[in-house]
Amino acid sequence: MAPTVTQDAVLSDAQIADLAQQLRVDSVRAADAAGSGHPTSSMSAAELIAVLLARHLHYDFRHPELPGNDHLIFSKGHASPLLYAAYKAAGAISDDELLTFRKLGSRLEGHPTPKIPWVDVATGSLGQGLPIGVGVALAGARLDHLPYRTWVLCGDSELAEGSVWEAFEHAGMEGLDNLTVMIDVNRLGQRGPTRHGWDLDAYARRIRAFGWHTIEIDGHDVQAVDEAMTAARDNRGAPTAIIARTRKGRGVAAVEDKEGKHGKPLPDAEEAIRELGGMRSLRVHVQEPEQAAEPKRPADDPDARLPRYDKGGSVATRTAFGEALAAFGGLRGDIVALDGEVGDSTKAGLFGEAHPERYIECYIAEQELIGTAVGLGVRGWTPYASTFAAFLTRAHDFLRMAAVSRSDLNVVGTHAGVAIGEDGPSQMALEDLAMTRSLHGSTVLYPCDANQTVQLITAMAERTGISYLRATRGNTPVIYGPGDAFPIGGSKVLRSGPDDQVTLIGAGVTVHEALAAADMLAEEGVKARVIDLYSIKPVDAKTLREAAEATGRFVTVEDHHPEGGLADAVLESFGNGHPMPLLTRLAVHSMPGSATPREQLDAAGIGATAIAAAARKLAAA
Amino acid sequence: MAPTVTQDAVLSDAQIADLAQQLRVDSVRAADAAGSGHPTSSMSAAELIAVLLARHLHYDFRHPELPGNDHLIFSKGHASPLLYAAYKAAGAISDDELLTFRKLGSRLEGHPTPKIPWVDVATGSLGQGLPIGVGVALAGARLDHLPYRTWVLCGDSELAEGSVWEAFEHAGMEGLDNLTVMIDVNRLGQRGPTRHGWDLDAYARRIRAFGWHTIEIDGHDVQAVDEAMTAARDNRGAPTAIIARTRKGRGVAAVEDKEGKHGKPLPDAEEAIRELGGMRSLRVHVQEPEQAAEPKRPADDPDARLPRYDKGGSVATRTAFGEALAAFGGLRGDIVALDGEVGDSTKAGLFGEAHPERYIECYIAEQELIGTAVGLGVRGWTPYASTFAAFLTRAHDFLRMAAVSRSDLNVVGTHAGVAIGEDGPSQMALEDLAMTRSLHGSTVLYPCDANQTVQLITAMAERTGISYLRATRGNTPVIYGPGDAFPIGGSKVLRSGPDDQVTLIGAGVTVHEALAAADMLAEEGVKARVIDLYSIKPVDAKTLREAAEATGRFVTVEDHHPEGGLADAVLESFGNGHPMPLLTRLAVHSMPGSATPREQLDAAGIGATAIAAAARKLAAA
């Protein structure tokens, strides 16, 4: 067994090589104890991580909250054994804990998550670490003005993901010289050889074309890795990619550079450990960050005023979103806004005009939009990311992973539903409620009025998890006063009486259709209750149950496909034995074409006339 | 008014320049008649399309089904006025029809869709035309062995989308010299200037790095455009990108190269038409394709046999999928399989071993995976695209648009739910049922058994629209015989009796948990009906209503988040006034970590014990 190195020692090249072997041994041991995991993908990057820990990372494991700490993101999250082995070498976890890898209750999961205090974001869906790393680096360079560096470890396979190229483009154009990506080119993906194998230059050419500095090295040569990291730190004006030729399963002949060895423990762990030179118990002293580093945050302006709209006016909820966010950005210096090159339409551009230094233009790259927002959130900023609701589907996997990351993220999708009119189905979000409701721990809001939008936009910032607000393109009547309250999880009963026969439930644009339908019905003597269900998740079960008891009949109406949206949310209230009302669900069943907003609502059968007809029939049932 | 050119005339450069002006005039007129639309984005690309029509495209508008026809994909779908103006110039539509643009009932929608016989796929969500074009070109080069060319018109803004770079990579590596992308670099996006403005070389550098041939030109110079297209046709071994410097709104001073003129009619259409030289009625003769061109298709092998599994065995549904697909590929020569570099795990690799010429490795690029599949479908191939179900969320927007394209697409997602075990939440699909159910016209299947999987995999090929099958990682008992029938829209009642007190409803892995729970309950004297709801959409309303009438109490259990999945599908059966049963919904409410599959099911409360407990409580209610 090699000698234990004390915390203060500076490791020589030979000792770092030894440390790399220890990281391999511990990766093998962790996967062996678990009976699963990715030791071979860990072994290829051992020198990269050993050199980083020993010479370049600045991080205080006792105080992960320090603003000056560097950030290390394992984009190739399946190499988690290597990360956990590094934590052990840094003295952050014990050997006993290392061996809880992948076991029930252990924070050392198959892929890293922020259950671990030193993990910024969950990884394991490939191609997400770099987009998020861009957000973290951007916060340091442009917002926090802090000297920390962001280091991202990528695999070679994941460079096939377009999201990675969105990130290369964004970081290159921003000139983020505080960002380094280390690409572990071990030539073998899960199924077999990657597209480019060991053609390092194929990667370098592409990445350089996007404005990055690139360095190609032998990733098992400690000195070469060290020099590359030094060069990356010294390079100014552009981010650096260290493209390292490595061998998967390096150091163990039974698996080294062999196909079919991905994602499984080594066939003979004991023999492998012997081959790697046996157990070691090296401790590495990771350099501390600048303790006094403090982020620069714009001051809150308590005199800023949220917009107020006059009842009886007509304002688009997207406009109210933009105006509210711009004002909210005055009230709170931690608010940042990001948009996908449609800020003139989403109205996020109004925030950009008021607070240009806190407005991030992400161009038409929705994965990078959400990834950057998550990265800014890592540094404690409160992000609002917006684009057309339809195009948020582009970032579904990033939203899914943001939930695993326990990210507090505000997302606004405008131009929802058929109500946009002439542009046609490619621009219509008709699946966004299903998508956002299904995200773990999410909040889903859908205002029908400008004052309601203002309240909900500010309330989102107080929620944990992913909060989504759906906004409408066209003007809708202002039916609430600026002082009205709209608690998340609540609803508004807009019409009700003791002898209501049916309840009409809408949100957003369909609230106004439901009100018009109630007027039509009233003329015929049919009494309809009307509920504005602006909080789709969590849903106001109490009010819905009361309405079910009182009327026994529901008509739900939504500008969304029938599956996964408002009607399904309503029915949630009737789980666990609560008797359900009779229900007619109106939604967009057909494929829309082009037409005016009014024609669209009628063609889809979610306009006032259709609602009244459905209610009339149900009330008579 | 300029003279009408007869169908047979070959246009001179000057006449083509005139044709380009006509396309501009007609774009302005169409948008003006509609009161909305994108004339300025059309005007920048007028010479590109005029030259293509007059000199390079081979297309028979009377016979769009001809295999030898070229393919023209307007990735910048918002330039639809230009496309429709081109159809008019080619004699395919009348001037009267042109002026129905964006009106209710017109096939000339705001963004092109295959309602129009000459449109292959819907566009309008940017960054999708090239990925799909790669599929179309790949079909010609590698499968059909046909001489057609694929031409894709892209905007500059959309090059920010990562999906475009997935496509550049795929096409570059495949050496698709039958594919040409024309990039209309008009420098202005929707909100304002693009990232690279008129820096053509910024685009060329990037695209060349991905193995493409690039040509930079003045996009308003007819001769330059013509030479570039000739070079693109002559270039061998690599696809070509024509990078054209253009001016948005070209030809009309009020809008030319001006910000704030995106997506709206021209301020003064009459004046604009005058400025463009007035109305013209040129007809362009588009060259006909090789009439005799016939695709080469592998012969069907009627002797191929689908796999059969013995009852009582234990087989993963993903394995049954792979074995079934490999066999089905023998039975039918039109089947192609695509996978995202996980074919060893999804088992699509078994198809690859059996039919290597029909297996497309898309690497870890799920948008390109679905885009390529849609493109192969354009050419009449029957694609099955597979990856881990969790990572299909990456392609949500492509799936959404495939529905608008009326694409017949088979998608298989494996490793669903917490049942995967130790890998943890990043690898667990817990949102896929919500996502796929919400797609317009989709079919959603979730088998619990190997023989059932075989039946459903072959049945998918007969469905229109997007069909999704969810498969499980671990082995599950074979409970059905190879001869059992599983019609889509059906279900299997596995346990039932005249005095059932409660109905347990599961699909996939939870069917087996429900059966075990029914056994537990039976020992206590509680009689439970058990339904295998393998068809999530369409759902078997009749059987569910009968069970509701008979038992009045449902326990639904799904390995999915509570929103948008099986429980919501079950409740669909009770719309329109059908009285609903009491319901307890079991689903994955918490964020999973790592654990064994058994521990995961129990921790999530969807294992047999939890089902029995819920049923016991509900039966007593």
Side-chain angles (χ1 to χ4, degrees):
Chain A
M1 187 175 278
T4 301
V5 174
T6 68
Q7 274 233 314
D8 296 329
V10 173
L11 270 57
S12 67
D13 284 8
Q15 284 172 316
I16 291 177
D18 221 32
L19 174 63
Q21 290 296 78
Q22 171 175 316
L23 298 179
R24 289 192 173 95
V25 167
D26 282 345
S27 296
V28 170
R29 292 173 62 232
D32 192 60
S36 67
H38 297 78
T40 58
S41 304
S42 298
M43 293 158 83
S44 55
E47 279 81 11
L48 289 171
I49 295 305
V51 173
L52 182 69
L53 278 186
R55 300 241 175 106
H56 299 280
L57 191 72
H58 289 72
Y59 197 87
D60 184 344
F61 281 91
R62 292 158 308 166
H63 298 106
E65 74 290 351
L66 279 181
N69 274 335
D70 280 359
H71 293 266
L72 170 59
I73 299 175
F74 259 53
S75 189
K76 51 176 293 184
H78 55 289
S80 55
L82 175 61
L83 183 64
Y84 306 154
Y87 290 160
K88 182 192 140 187
I93 66 167
S94 68
D95 192 65
D96 283 351
E97 181 168 5
L98 179 71
L99 299 182
T100 66
F101 179 49
R102 286 177 165 251
K103 294 206 173 79
L104 180 66
S106 172
R107 60 182 176 173
L108 306 186
E109 298 186 14
H111 297 76
T113 79
K115 268 190 202 169
I116 302 170
W118 317 293
V119 171
D120 287 329
V121 289
T123 50
S125 178
L126 292 168
Q128 301 211 7
L130 190 59
I132 294 168
V134 171
V136 175
L138 199 64
R142 186 166 147 187
L143 296 167
D144 287 326
H145 302 285
L146 281 172
Y148 65 77
R149 296 197 64 78
T150 303
W151 306 87
V152 179
L153 179 69
C154 280
D156 45 356
S157 274
E158 65 179 303
L159 298 191
E161 285 286 8
S163 56
V164 173
W165 298 96
E166 296 180 6
F168 277 127
E169 180 71 285
H170 193 186
M173 289 300 288
E174 291 277 353
L176 295 176
D177 53 21
N178 59 349
L179 173 66
T180 305
V181 63
M182 304 165 286
I183 304 172
D184 178 21
V185 185
N186 65 23
R187 158 190 111 74
L188 291 172
Q190 168 178 324
R191 178 211 34 73
T194 59
R195 220 174 222 140
H196 297 295
W198 273 323
D199 183 357
L200 300 194
D201 195 48
Y203 297 114
R205 263 199 319 275
R206 288 161 170 74
I207 297 170
R208 262 200 315 274
F210 282 79
W212 284 53
H213 180 54
T214 61
I215 307 173
E216 299 170 45
I217 57 166
D218 172 354
H220 299 311
D221 178 337
V222 166
Q223 197 186 332
V225 172
D226 185 39
E227 285 170 6
M229 289 182 180
T230 303
R233 287 167 56 189
D234 290 345
N235 186 50
R236 290 289 168 271
T240 299
I242 299 172
I243 305 165
R245 179 187 161 118
T246 62
R247 294 168 75 85
K248 199 160 175 171
R250 165 79 165 186
V252 176
V255 296
E256 183 171 324
D257 192 37
K258 284 198 165 52
E259 291 189 39
K261 304 298 179 189
H262 179 95
K264 48 187 80 158
L266 264 53
D268 184 339
E270 236 174 276
E271 170 57 28
I273 294 166
R274 246 193 314 277
E275 204 176 334
L276 290 165
M279 289 273 291
R280 292 165 182 78
S281 51
L282 290 165
R283 272 288 287 284
V284 60
H285 172 65
V286 175
Q287 297 169 78
E288 299 210 336
E290 201 186 305
Q291 297 290 331
E294 281 299 331
K296 294 195 175 54
R297 295 275 153 109
D300 296 347
D301 172 8
D303 295 333
R305 287 285 166 269
L306 292 169
R308 301 162 66 89
Y309 301 96
D310 292 332
K311 255 193 194 180
S314 186
V315 178
T317 54
R318 62 173 167 142
T319 303
F321 150 62
E323 293 176 347
L325 191 65
F328 198 40
L331 279 169
R332 287 180 44 168
D334 62 318
I335 305 288
V336 288
L338 308 92
D339 195 89
E341 218 268 270
V342 286
D344 55 332
S345 285
T346 61
K347 303 299 179 190
L350 299 173
F351 182 98
E353 289 166 23
H355 314 285
E357 73 291 354
R358 282 184 273 150
Y359 185 69
I360 318 278
E361 175 60 79
C362 293
Y363 296 92
I364 309 182
E366 294 79 8
Q367 298 185 83
E368 179 62 17
L369 171 74
I370 299 299
T372 305
V374 169
L376 296 175
V378 164
R379 281 290 314 123
W381 294 88
T382 300
Y384 283 75
S386 53
T387 184
F388 282 29
F391 305 137
L392 285 172
T393 54
R394 210 62 169 247
H396 189 173
D397 196 32
F398 276 71
L399 293 167
R400 180 182 77 85
M401 287 298 296
V404 184
S405 289
R406 285 75 170 167
S407 185
D408 297 329
L409 182 65
N410 305 298
V411 181
V412 175
T414 64
H415 294 67
V418 300
I420 63 163
E422 288 83 354
D423 269 335
S426 64
Q427 318 294 303
M428 293 170 176
L430 293 166
E431 306 82 0
D432 58 318
L433 295 177
M435 176 178 80
T436 52
R437 281 181 68 238
S438 76
L439 299 171
H440 179 72
S442 63
T443 298
V444 181
L445 307 169
Y446 186 15
C448 70
D449 150 291
N451 286 312
Q452 192 178 49
T453 305
V454 176
Q455 301 292 325
L456 296 175
I457 282 293
T458 57
M460 289 169 86
E462 306 305 323
R463 302 285 291 180
T464 57
I466 299 166
S467 298
Y468 173 61
L469 185 138
R470 184 186 218 222
T472 302
R473 174 177 177 270
N475 286 351
T476 43
V478 180
I479 60 173
Y480 298 115
D484 289 355
F486 304 96
I488 290 174
S491 66
K492 281 281 178 194
V493 180
L494 289 170
R495 301 277 169 86
S496 77
D499 47 357
D500 290 337
Q501 298 157 267
V502 60
T503 304
L504 313 181
I505 305 168
V509 71
T510 62
V511 168
H512 307 287
E513 299 299 317
L515 286 169
D519 289 343
M520 293 178 193
L521 292 165
E523 282 185 22
E524 305 165 21
V526 178
K527 289 177 176 134
R529 184 169 297 193
V530 178
I531 297 178
D532 169 8
L533 202 71
Y534 62 83
S535 181
I536 306 282
K537 180 184 174 187
V539 76
D540 185 354
K542 184 167 169 288
T543 299
L544 291 171
R545 286 178 193 157
E546 281 167 10
E549 232 167 274
T551 71
R553 285 160 167 79
F554 279 9
V555 176
T556 59
V557 51
E558 57 193 307
D559 193 355
H560 188 273
H561 284 155
E563 302 87 3
L566 180 133
D568 285 354
V570 165
L571 292 181
E572 264 181 32
S573 308
F574 300 93
N576 299 313
H578 289 274
M580 293 189 181
L582 297 181
L583 174 75
T584 299
R585 48 171 99 198
L586 303 181
V588 182
H589 287 267
S590 54
M591 174 63 69
S594 283
T596 65
R598 179 76 260 153
E599 289 168 341
Q600 295 278 18
L601 292 172
D602 290 336
I606 58 170
T609 312
I611 299 170
R616 202 177 291 126
K617 193 172 158 197
L618 192 64
Chain B
M1 187 175 283
T4 301
V5 175
T6 67
Q7 275 231 314
D8 296 329
V10 172
L11 271 58
S12 67
D13 282 8
Q15 285 172 315
I16 291 177
D18 220 32
L19 174 63
Q21 290 296 79
Q22 170 174 316
L23 298 179
R24 288 193 173 94
V25 167
D26 281 346
S27 296
V28 169
R29 292 173 61 233
D32 192 59
S36 67
H38 298 77
T40 58
S41 304
S42 298
M43 294 158 83
S44 54
E47 279 81 11
L48 289 171
I49 296 306
V51 174
L52 182 69
L53 278 186
R55 301 242 174 105
H56 300 280
L57 191 73
H58 288 72
Y59 196 87
D60 184 345
F61 280 91
R62 290 157 311 166
H63 298 106
E65 73 291 350
L66 280 181
N69 275 334
D70 279 359
H71 293 266
L72 170 58
I73 298 174
F74 259 52
S75 189
K76 53 176 293 186
H78 55 289
S80 56
L82 175 62
L83 183 64
Y84 305 153
Y87 289 160
K88 183 192 141 187
I93 66 168
S94 69
D95 192 66
D96 283 351
E97 181 168 5
L98 178 72
L99 301 181
T100 66
F101 179 49
R102 286 176 165 249
K103 295 207 173 79
L104 180 67
S106 171
R107 60 181 177 174
L108 305 186
E109 297 185 15
H111 297 77
T113 79
K115 267 192 203 168
I116 303 170
W118 317 293
V119 171
D120 287 328
V121 289
T123 50
S125 179
L126 292 168
Q128 301 210 9
L130 189 59
I132 294 168
V134 171
V136 175
L138 200 64
R142 186 167 148 186
L143 296 167
D144 285 327
H145 303 284
L146 281 172
Y148 65 77
R149 296 197 64 78
T150 302
W151 306 87
V152 179
L153 179 70
C154 280
D156 45 356
S157 274
E158 65 179 302
L159 299 192
E161 285 286 7
S163 57
V164 173
W165 298 95
E166 295 180 7
F168 277 126
E169 180 71 286
H170 192 186
M173 288 300 287
E174 291 277 354
L176 295 176
D177 53 22
N178 59 350
L179 173 65
T180 304
V181 63
M182 305 165 286
I183 304 172
D184 178 22
V185 185
N186 65 24
R187 164 190 104 74
L188 291 172
Q190 170 179 321
R191 178 212 34 75
T194 59
R195 221 176 223 138
H196 297 295
W198 273 323
D199 183 357
L200 300 194
D201 195 48
Y203 297 114
R205 262 199 319 276
R206 288 161 172 74
I207 297 169
R208 262 199 316 274
F210 281 78
W212 284 55
H213 179 53
T214 61
I215 306 173
E216 299 169 46
I217 57 166
D218 172 353
H220 299 311
D221 177 337
V222 165
Q223 196 185 333
V225 172
D226 185 38
E227 285 170 5
M229 289 181 181
T230 303
R233 288 167 56 189
D234 290 345
N235 187 50
R236 289 289 167 271
T240 298
I242 298 172
I243 305 165
R245 179 185 161 121
T246 63
R247 294 168 74 85
K248 199 161 176 170
R250 164 80 167 186
V252 176
V255 297
E256 183 171 322
D257 192 37
K258 285 199 163 52
E259 291 190 39
K261 304 298 179 190
H262 180 95
K264 49 185 79 158
L266 263 52
D268 185 339
E270 237 173 278
E271 169 57 27
I273 293 165
R274 247 193 312 278
E275 205 177 333
L276 290 165
M279 290 272 291
R280 292 165 182 77
S281 51
L282 291 164
R283 271 288 286 283
V284 60
H285 173 66
V286 176
Q287 296 169 80
E288 298 212 337
E290 200 186 303
Q291 296 290 330
E294 281 299 331
K296 294 194 175 55
R297 295 274 155 109
D300 296 347
D301 172 8
D303 295 333
R305 285 287 166 268
L306 292 169
R308 300 164 65 89
Y309 301 95
D310 293 333
K311 255 193 193 177
S314 185
V315 179
T317 55
R318 63 172 166 144
T319 303
F321 150 62
E323 293 176 348
L325 191 64
F328 197 40
L331 280 168
R332 285 180 46 169
D334 62 318
I335 305 287
V336 288
L338 308 91
D339 195 88
E341 218 268 270
V342 286
D344 56 331
S345 285
T346 61
K347 303 300 178 189
L350 298 173
F351 182 99
E353 289 166 23
H355 314 286
E357 73 292 353
R358 282 185 271 150
Y359 185 69
I360 318 278
E361 175 60 80
C362 293
Y363 295 91
I364 309 182
E366 293 80 8
Q367 298 185 81
E368 179 64 15
L369 171 74
I370 298 300
T372 305
V374 168
L376 296 174
V378 165
R379 281 288 314 122
W381 294 88
T382 301
Y384 282 76
S386 53
T387 183
F388 282 28
F391 305 138
L392 285 171
T393 53
R394 210 62 168 250
H396 189 171
D397 196 34
F398 277 71
L399 293 167
R400 180 182 77 84
M401 287 298 297
V404 184
S405 289
R406 286 71 169 168
S407 185
D408 298 329
L409 182 65
N410 305 298
V411 181
V412 176
T414 65
H415 294 69
V418 300
I420 64 163
E422 289 83 354
D423 270 335
S426 64
Q427 319 294 302
M428 293 171 177
L430 293 166
E431 306 82 2
D432 58 318
L433 295 178
M435 176 178 80
T436 52
R437 281 181 67 237
S438 76
L439 300 170
H440 178 73
S442 64
T443 299
V444 181
L445 308 168
Y446 186 15
C448 71
D449 152 289
N451 286 314
Q452 193 179 48
T453 304
V454 176
Q455 301 292 325
L456 295 175
I457 282 293
T458 57
M460 288 168 87
E462 307 304 323
R463 301 288 291 181
T464 57
I466 299 166
S467 298
Y468 172 62
L469 184 138
R470 184 186 218 222
T472 302
R473 174 177 177 268
N475 287 351
T476 44
V478 180
I479 61 173
Y480 298 115
D484 289 355
F486 303 97
I488 289 174
S491 66
K492 280 282 178 194
V493 181
L494 290 170
R495 301 277 169 86
S496 77
D499 48 357
D500 289 338
Q501 298 157 269
V502 60
T503 304
L504 315 180
I505 305 168
V509 72
T510 62
V511 168
H512 307 286
E513 300 299 317
L515 287 169
D519 290 344
M520 291 179 194
L521 292 165
E523 282 185 22
E524 305 164 20
V526 177
K527 288 176 178 136
R529 184 168 297 194
V530 178
I531 297 178
D532 168 8
L533 202 72
Y534 62 83
S535 180
I536 306 281
K537 181 183 174 187
V539 77
D540 185 355
K542 183 165 168 289
T543 299
L544 290 170
R545 287 179 192 156
E546 281 166 9
E549 232 166 90
T551 71
R553 287 161 167 80
F554 278 10
V555 177
T556 59
V557 52
E558 57 193 307
D559 193 356
H560 187 274
H561 284 156
E563 301 88 3
L566 181 133
D568 286 352
V570 164
L571 291 182
E572 264 182 31
S573 309
F574 300 95
N576 299 313
H578 290 274
M580 293 190 181
L582 297 181
L583 173 76
T584 299
R585 49 171 98 197
L586 304 181
V588 182
H589 288 267
S590 53
M591 175 62 69
S594 284
T596 66
R598 180 75 261 153
E599 289 167 342
Q600 297 278 17
L601 292 172
D602 290 336
I606 58 171
T609 311
I611 299 169
R616 201 177 290 127
K617 194 172 158 196
L618 191 63

